[in-house]
Amino acid sequence: MTKNFSSLLMLPVMGATLVALSGCIVIDADEEDLHSELAISPHYGTIKAADITGDTVTVRVSSNGCTTKEFIGTDVRRMNGDLFSVGFYREKEDYCRANLPDGVALSWSFSELGIPDGAEVSVRNTVRN
């Protein structure tokens, strides 16, 4: 009888151990690697408008009232010769509560983007108002 009783006591202990171990998931991800991957291939959000006039790129982006250029990252790529493309992506969320259905217009000079004056520039983002 003692043998059967101790076997019965082992069942809940074994069950609890299995439940505890089943929740152990090891993720081998290095935070630095994740940030490097983002820097290589950022997600370009949809923008409301884009305009390239002279040596200035202006984009209209969604905003809750606080978005400035510091909230938006740029990814500039030289395609060939004097042909460049720029992708814009959000680096910081805008947690303000203003109602700005048209968003805000933000401008970057070619110089700020590291693009030589007179270059041909295109924007990679999808434009949708």
Side-chain angles (χ1 to χ4, degrees), residues 61-126:
V61 299
S62 298
S63 175
N64 291 333
C66 294
T67 299
T68 62
K69 285 173 34 175
E70 288 71 34
F71 284 60
I72 306 298
T74 59
D75 179 28
V76 179
R77 296 184 187 178
R78 174 178 241 145
M79 306 311 284
N80 61 20
D82 276 347
L83 177 60
F84 291 80
S85 68
V86 184
F88 296 90
Y89 58 96
R90 186 169 287 278
E91 289 185 321
K92 291 174 28 180
E93 287 300 316
D94 180 346
Y95 294 108
C96 293
R97 295 179 173 221
N99 180 15
L100 300 174
D102 293 331
V104 294
L106 304 172
S107 296
W108 285 263
S109 68
F110 281 16
S111 176
E112 288 176 291
L113 296 170
I115 298 172
D117 290 346
E120 185 178 337
V121 178
S122 64
V123 174
R124 288 195 298 276
N125 298 69
T126 300

Side-chain angles (χ1 to χ4, degrees), residues 12-38:
V13 171
M14 288 174 44
T17 301
L18 287 174
V19 168
L21 290 176
S22 69
C24 295
I25 298 174
V26 176
I27 298 175
D28 186 18
D30 199 2
E31 185 176 350
E32 183 176 303
D33 290 341
L34 294 175
H35 289 296
S36 313
E37 183 64 29
L38 178 61

